[in-house]
Amino acid sequence: MSPTSGPAQALGDALAAEYAAIWAYGVIGVHLTEAARSAARAAEAAHRSRRDALILQLSSGGGQVPADRAGYALPYPVTDRASALKLAVEIEERTAGHWRAALPHTTGADRNKALAALTDCALRATRWRRTAGVTPITVPFPGRQT
Amino acid sequence: MLLRAGALLALGGAAVPLTGCDLFDRDDESRPPDPLEPLAAEATALEARHRAAATAVPALAERLTAIADAHRAHAEELRKAIGRPAPSGTPAAVPSVAPADPDTVRTELRQAEQEGRDNAAKACAAAPAERAALLGSIAAARATHMEALK
Protein backbone atom coordinates (compact mmCIF):
# COMPACT_ATOMS: atom_id res chain seq x y z
CA MET A 1 0.00 0.00 0.00
CA SER A 2 1.95 2.99 1.24
CA PRO A 3 5.58 3.14 0.19
CA THR A 4 7.87 1.93 2.94
CA SER A 5 11.17 3.50 3.78
CA GLY A 6 12.66 1.07 6.27
CA PRO A 7 12.17 -1.84 8.63
CA ALA A 8 10.28 0.17 11.27
CA GLN A 9 7.94 1.63 8.66
CA ALA A 10 7.36 -1.75 7.05
CA LEU A 11 6.66 -3.46 10.38
CA GLY A 12 4.49 -0.52 11.42
CA ASP A 13 2.42 -1.08 8.27
CA ALA A 14 2.13 -4.77 9.13
CA LEU A 15 0.95 -3.81 12.62
CA ALA A 16 -1.71 -1.50 11.15
CA ALA A 17 -2.87 -4.39 8.96
CA GLU A 18 -3.06 -6.69 11.99
CA TYR A 19 -5.18 -4.13 13.88
CA ALA A 20 -7.56 -3.95 10.94
CA ALA A 21 -7.72 -7.76 10.65
CA ILE A 22 -8.58 -8.14 14.34
CA TRP A 23 -11.33 -5.56 13.97
CA ALA A 24 -12.66 -7.19 10.80
CA TYR A 25 -12.93 -10.62 12.41
CA GLY A 26 -15.27 -9.12 15.01
CA VAL A 27 -17.62 -8.27 12.14
CA ILE A 28 -17.00 -11.52 10.28
CA GLY A 29 -17.53 -13.86 13.23
CA VAL A 30 -21.10 -12.85 13.97
CA HIS A 31 -22.24 -13.94 10.50
CA LEU A 32 -20.69 -17.40 10.72
CA THR A 33 -21.77 -20.52 12.55
CA GLU A 34 -20.21 -23.71 13.87
CA ALA A 35 -16.86 -24.67 12.33
CA ALA A 36 -16.54 -21.44 10.37
CA ARG A 37 -17.17 -19.36 13.48
CA SER A 38 -14.51 -21.36 15.36
CA ALA A 39 -12.10 -20.80 12.47
CA ALA A 40 -12.82 -17.06 12.62
CA ARG A 41 -12.12 -17.05 16.35
CA ALA A 42 -8.85 -18.92 15.83
CA ALA A 43 -7.87 -16.52 13.04
CA GLU A 44 -8.59 -13.53 15.24
CA ALA A 45 -6.46 -15.03 18.03
CA ALA A 46 -3.61 -15.60 15.57
CA HIS A 47 -3.77 -11.96 14.44
CA ARG A 48 -3.80 -10.82 18.07
CA SER A 49 -0.63 -12.73 18.82
CA ARG A 50 1.10 -11.28 15.72
CA ARG A 51 -0.04 -7.83 16.86
CA ASP A 52 1.36 -8.37 20.35
CA ALA A 53 4.67 -9.67 19.00
CA LEU A 54 4.95 -6.67 16.68
CA ILE A 55 4.22 -4.17 19.44
CA LEU A 56 6.91 -5.79 21.55
CA GLN A 57 9.38 -5.84 18.68
CA LEU A 58 8.75 -2.23 17.64
CA SER A 59 8.82 -0.84 21.18
CA SER A 60 11.99 -2.72 22.13
CA GLY A 61 13.60 -1.24 19.03
CA GLY A 62 12.92 2.19 20.52
CA GLY A 63 10.81 3.26 17.58
CA GLN A 64 7.29 4.57 17.29
CA VAL A 65 4.52 2.03 17.75
CA PRO A 66 1.49 2.99 15.66
CA ALA A 67 -1.75 2.99 17.65
CA ASP A 68 -4.92 1.21 16.66
CA ARG A 69 -7.76 3.20 15.15
CA ALA A 70 -11.12 3.62 16.82
CA GLY A 71 -12.92 2.11 13.87
CA TYR A 72 -12.66 1.11 10.24
CA ALA A 73 -14.82 1.54 7.19
CA LEU A 74 -15.94 -1.71 5.60
CA PRO A 75 -15.34 -1.94 1.85
CA TYR A 76 -18.94 -3.20 1.45
CA PRO A 77 -21.79 -4.13 3.75
CA VAL A 78 -21.14 -7.38 5.62
CA THR A 79 -24.60 -8.73 6.27
CA ASP A 80 -24.49 -12.49 5.78
CA ARG A 81 -22.26 -15.56 5.54
CA ALA A 82 -21.25 -14.90 1.93
CA SER A 83 -20.13 -11.32 2.49
CA ALA A 84 -18.41 -12.30 5.75
CA LEU A 85 -16.39 -15.01 3.99
CA LYS A 86 -15.54 -12.63 1.16
CA LEU A 87 -14.19 -10.12 3.68
CA ALA A 88 -12.25 -12.86 5.49
CA VAL A 89 -10.47 -13.83 2.26
CA GLU A 90 -9.72 -10.20 1.45
CA ILE A 91 -8.49 -9.30 4.91
CA GLU A 92 -6.07 -12.25 4.89
CA GLU A 93 -4.74 -11.40 1.42
CA ARG A 94 -4.35 -7.77 2.43
CA THR A 95 -2.50 -8.66 5.63
CA ALA A 96 -0.37 -11.11 3.67
CA GLY A 97 0.52 -8.20 1.38
CA HIS A 98 1.85 -6.11 4.25
CA TRP A 99 3.94 -8.97 5.59
CA ARG A 100 5.23 -9.61 2.10
CA ALA A 101 6.20 -5.95 1.86
CA ALA A 102 8.18 -6.31 5.10
CA LEU A 103 10.39 -9.08 3.65
CA PRO A 104 12.82 -6.82 1.73
CA HIS A 105 13.20 -4.60 4.81
CA THR A 106 14.12 -7.41 7.19
CA THR A 107 16.91 -9.96 7.51
CA GLY A 108 17.61 -13.07 9.56
CA ALA A 109 15.12 -13.98 12.27
CA ASP A 110 12.92 -10.96 11.50
CA ARG A 111 12.57 -11.99 7.88
CA ASN A 112 11.71 -15.54 8.91
CA LYS A 113 9.01 -14.15 11.22
CA ALA A 114 7.59 -12.03 8.40
CA LEU A 115 7.58 -15.06 6.10
CA ALA A 116 5.82 -17.18 8.74
CA ALA A 117 3.16 -14.47 9.07
CA LEU A 118 2.76 -14.16 5.29
CA THR A 119 2.40 -17.94 5.02
CA ASP A 120 -0.18 -18.12 7.82
CA CYS A 121 -2.29 -15.40 6.19
CA ALA A 122 -2.07 -17.18 2.83
CA LEU A 123 -3.14 -20.47 4.42
CA ARG A 124 -6.13 -18.86 6.10
CA ALA A 125 -7.13 -17.15 2.84
CA THR A 126 -6.99 -20.57 1.16
CA ARG A 127 -9.15 -22.18 3.85
CA TRP A 128 -11.68 -19.34 3.68
CA ARG A 129 -11.94 -19.76 -0.10
CA ARG A 130 -12.62 -23.44 0.42
CA THR A 131 -15.29 -22.62 3.04
CA ALA A 132 -16.85 -20.10 0.65
CA GLY A 133 -16.75 -22.53 -2.28
CA VAL A 134 -14.49 -20.23 -4.31
CA THR A 135 -12.21 -21.87 -6.89
CA PRO A 136 -9.33 -22.02 -7.32
CA ILE A 137 -8.66 -21.91 -3.60
CA THR A 138 -5.06 -20.84 -4.11
CA VAL A 139 -3.42 -17.84 -5.77
CA PRO A 140 -0.02 -18.02 -7.51
CA PHE A 141 1.61 -15.20 -5.50
CA PRO A 142 0.05 -14.77 -2.04
CA GLY A 143 0.21 -11.17 -0.86
CA ARG A 144 1.13 -9.73 -4.24
CA GLN A 145 -1.16 -6.99 -5.48
CA THR A 146 -2.78 -8.11 -8.71
CA MET B 1 22.20 -20.09 9.27
CA LEU B 2 22.96 -18.28 6.06
CA LEU B 3 25.88 -20.56 5.35
CA ARG B 4 23.72 -23.59 5.93
CA ALA B 5 21.07 -22.33 3.56
CA GLY B 6 23.72 -21.62 0.97
CA ALA B 7 25.12 -25.12 1.28
CA LEU B 8 21.70 -26.65 0.82
CA LEU B 9 21.03 -24.57 -2.24
CA ALA B 10 24.36 -25.63 -3.69
CA LEU B 11 23.39 -29.26 -3.13
CA GLY B 12 20.10 -28.64 -4.90
CA GLY B 13 22.04 -27.16 -7.79
CA ALA B 14 24.14 -30.28 -8.09
CA ALA B 15 20.96 -32.31 -8.54
CA VAL B 16 20.00 -30.40 -11.69
CA PRO B 17 20.92 -32.50 -14.73
CA LEU B 18 23.90 -31.07 -16.53
CA THR B 19 23.08 -32.53 -19.92
CA GLY B 20 22.77 -29.96 -22.66
CA CYS B 21 25.13 -27.44 -21.08
CA ASP B 22 27.54 -26.13 -23.65
CA LEU B 23 30.99 -26.73 -22.26
CA PHE B 24 32.43 -23.89 -24.32
CA ASP B 25 29.64 -21.41 -23.86
CA ARG B 26 31.51 -18.23 -22.91
CA ASP B 27 28.51 -16.79 -21.15
CA ASP B 28 28.32 -19.80 -18.81
CA GLU B 29 32.04 -19.60 -18.23
CA SER B 30 31.99 -15.98 -17.17
CA ARG B 31 28.88 -16.13 -14.98
CA PRO B 32 28.56 -18.49 -12.04
CA PRO B 33 25.22 -20.25 -11.70
CA ASP B 34 22.54 -18.13 -10.05
CA PRO B 35 21.53 -19.37 -6.58
CA LEU B 36 17.91 -19.32 -7.79
CA GLU B 37 18.58 -21.91 -10.52
CA PRO B 38 17.70 -24.92 -8.31
CA LEU B 39 14.46 -23.24 -7.26
CA ALA B 40 13.49 -22.46 -10.86
CA ALA B 41 14.26 -26.06 -11.87
CA GLU B 42 12.22 -27.29 -8.93
CA ALA B 43 9.25 -25.13 -9.97
CA THR B 44 9.38 -26.60 -13.47
CA ALA B 45 9.64 -30.14 -12.06
CA LEU B 46 6.69 -29.52 -9.72
CA GLU B 47 4.64 -28.22 -12.64
CA ALA B 48 5.38 -31.42 -14.58
CA ARG B 49 4.47 -33.61 -11.62
CA HIS B 50 1.13 -31.93 -11.09
CA ARG B 51 0.27 -32.07 -14.80
CA ALA B 52 1.12 -35.77 -14.91
CA ALA B 53 -0.94 -36.39 -11.79
CA ALA B 54 -3.87 -34.46 -13.28
CA THR B 55 -3.86 -36.90 -16.19
CA ALA B 56 -3.53 -39.92 -13.90
CA VAL B 57 -6.34 -38.84 -11.56
CA PRO B 58 -9.05 -37.01 -13.53
CA ALA B 59 -11.06 -36.43 -10.35
CA LEU B 60 -8.30 -34.14 -9.10
CA ALA B 61 -7.54 -32.56 -12.49
CA GLU B 62 -9.05 -29.14 -11.79
CA ARG B 63 -7.21 -28.69 -8.50
CA LEU B 64 -3.91 -30.04 -9.81
CA THR B 65 -4.01 -27.95 -12.97
CA ALA B 66 -4.43 -24.75 -10.94
CA ILE B 67 -1.40 -25.73 -8.86
CA ALA B 68 0.61 -26.64 -11.97
CA ASP B 69 -0.22 -23.20 -13.43
CA ALA B 70 1.08 -21.56 -10.25
CA HIS B 71 4.35 -23.48 -10.50
CA ARG B 72 4.72 -22.37 -14.11
CA ALA B 73 4.15 -18.76 -13.08
CA HIS B 74 6.78 -19.18 -10.34
CA ALA B 75 9.30 -20.61 -12.82
CA GLU B 76 8.67 -17.68 -15.17
CA GLU B 77 9.18 -15.08 -12.43
CA LEU B 78 12.30 -16.85 -11.17
CA ARG B 79 13.70 -16.92 -14.72
CA LYS B 80 13.03 -13.19 -14.97
CA ALA B 81 14.88 -12.60 -11.69
CA ILE B 82 17.78 -14.76 -12.85
CA GLY B 83 17.86 -12.90 -16.14
CA ARG B 84 18.75 -15.93 -18.21
CA PRO B 85 16.67 -18.58 -19.96
CA ALA B 86 16.52 -22.09 -18.56
CA PRO B 87 19.53 -24.26 -19.40
CA SER B 88 18.60 -25.81 -22.74
CA GLY B 89 18.00 -29.50 -23.34
CA THR B 90 16.90 -30.27 -19.81
CA PRO B 91 13.15 -30.73 -19.88
CA ALA B 92 11.88 -31.89 -16.51
CA ALA B 93 11.47 -35.66 -16.41
CA VAL B 94 7.76 -36.32 -16.80
CA PRO B 95 6.64 -38.86 -14.21
CA SER B 96 4.47 -41.79 -15.20
CA VAL B 97 0.81 -41.10 -15.93
CA ALA B 98 -0.62 -44.53 -15.11
CA PRO B 99 -3.98 -44.32 -13.34
CA ALA B 100 -3.24 -43.97 -9.66
CA ASP B 101 -4.92 -43.96 -6.30
CA PRO B 102 -6.00 -40.36 -5.55
CA ASP B 103 -4.99 -40.54 -1.89
CA THR B 104 -1.51 -41.79 -2.74
CA VAL B 105 -1.10 -39.11 -5.38
CA ARG B 106 -2.15 -36.37 -2.98
CA THR B 107 0.17 -37.64 -0.26
CA GLU B 108 3.14 -37.73 -2.63
CA LEU B 109 2.42 -34.28 -4.02
CA ARG B 110 1.99 -32.86 -0.53
CA GLN B 111 5.40 -34.19 0.35
CA ALA B 112 6.92 -32.62 -2.77
CA GLU B 113 5.24 -29.29 -1.94
CA GLN B 114 6.58 -29.44 1.61
CA GLU B 115 10.13 -29.91 0.35
CA GLY B 116 9.56 -27.11 -2.13
CA ARG B 117 8.19 -24.82 0.57
CA ASP B 118 11.25 -25.50 2.75
CA ASN B 119 13.61 -24.81 -0.15
CA ALA B 120 11.84 -21.56 -1.02
CA ALA B 121 11.85 -20.45 2.63
CA LYS B 122 15.60 -21.08 2.87
CA ALA B 123 16.16 -19.18 -0.36
CA CYS B 124 14.03 -16.31 0.96
CA ALA B 125 16.06 -16.17 4.19
CA ALA B 126 19.33 -16.01 2.24
CA ALA B 127 18.17 -13.69 -0.55
CA PRO B 128 19.08 -10.04 -1.13
CA ALA B 129 16.27 -7.58 -0.46
CA GLU B 130 15.14 -7.31 -4.08
CA ARG B 131 14.37 -11.03 -4.29
CA ALA B 132 12.86 -11.54 -0.82
CA ALA B 133 9.24 -10.73 -1.67
CA LEU B 134 9.10 -13.01 -4.72
CA LEU B 135 10.66 -15.90 -2.82
CA GLY B 136 8.37 -15.30 0.15
CA SER B 137 5.30 -15.49 -2.07
CA ILE B 138 6.57 -18.69 -3.65
CA ALA B 139 7.19 -20.28 -0.24
CA ALA B 140 3.72 -19.22 0.93
CA ALA B 141 2.12 -20.48 -2.29
CA ARG B 142 3.71 -23.89 -1.89
CA ALA B 143 2.35 -24.03 1.67
CA THR B 144 -1.14 -23.29 0.33
CA HIS B 145 -0.71 -26.08 -2.21
CA MET B 146 -0.18 -28.50 0.66
CA GLU B 147 -3.46 -27.24 2.12
CA ALA B 148 -5.25 -27.57 -1.23
CA LEU B 149 -4.01 -31.16 -1.57
CA LYS B 150 -5.53 -32.21 1.76
Side-chain angles (χ1 to χ4, degrees):
Chain A
M1 281 201 69
S2 55
T4 52
S5 57
Q9 176 73 51
L11 293 176
D13 287 350
L15 176 57
E18 293 293 358
Y19 287 143
I22 293 161
W23 183 86
Y25 271 109
V27 180
I28 291 162
V30 297
H31 297 289
L32 302 177
T33 55
E34 296 164 8
R37 178 173 271 192
S38 306
R41 241 183 252 132
E44 184 178 341
H47 286 294
R48 283 186 193 280
S49 70
R50 296 273 184 223
R51 173 201 64 186
D52 294 346
L54 272 173
I55 289 175
L56 202 64
Q57 186 178 354
L58 285 167
S59 54
S60 68
Q64 281 235 317
V65 180
D68 197 358
R69 289 193 226 162
Y72 295 83
L74 287 169
Y76 38 79
V78 175
T79 52
D80 54 10
R81 183 175 185 273
S83 50
L85 291 174
K86 182 174 190 277
L87 181 63
V89 170
E90 288 178 9
I91 210 81
E92 293 296 350
E93 275 298 329
R94 179 179 179 277
T95 312
H98 284 279
W99 281 111
R100 183 185 195 267
L103 290 171
H105 297 287
T106 50
T107 55
D110 286 344
R111 186 180 285 176
N112 287 334
K113 271 189 247 174
L115 176 59
L118 160 60
T119 303
D120 284 349
C121 291
L123 284 170
R124 282 190 293 268
T126 294
R127 293 191 199 110
W128 285 130
R129 284 190 201 94
R130 178 157 55 206
T131 304
V134 174
T135 54
I137 64 171
T138 55
V139 296
F141 297 97
R144 187 163 89 173
Q145 309 295 324
T146 47
Chain B
M1 176 78 196
L2 290 180
L3 271 178
R4 233 174 84 80
L8 283 164
L9 282 174
L11 274 178
V16 176
L18 292 171
T19 47
C21 276
D22 186 349
L23 188 58
F24 300 108
D25 187 331
R26 279 176 188 282
D27 197 43
D28 279 357
E29 249 180 312
S30 58
R31 290 168 71 183
D34 192 291
L36 294 188
E37 283 291 354
L39 215 56
E42 184 177 47
T44 303
L46 282 168
E47 182 199 348
R49 276 190 77 160
H50 283 86
R51 294 217 192 277
T55 311
V57 188
L60 296 177
E62 194 186 340
R63 232 190 295 182
L64 297 180
T65 301
I67 296 175
D69 291 345
H71 286 302
R72 170 172 288 185
H74 294 170
E76 284 168 3
E77 289 288 314
L78 287 166
R79 286 279 151 228
K80 253 191 256 172
I82 291 168
R84 268 182 282 184
S88 58
T90 56
V94 176
S96 70
V97 288
D101 169 53
D103 289 345
T104 309
V105 166
R106 284 191 300 158
T107 304
E108 285 172 1
L109 290 176
R110 260 207 317 271
Q111 213 167 349
E113 293 287 354
Q114 166 123 42
E115 278 170 38
R117 195 273 308 263
D118 293 348
N119 289 335
K122 281 171 195 144
C124 179
E130 67 273 16
R131 288 177 165 187
L134 171 64
L135 295 170
S137 273
I138 291 175
R142 289 175 175 179
T144 65
H145 297 164
M146 287 163 64
E147 180 71 25
L149 288 163
K150 271 186 184 168

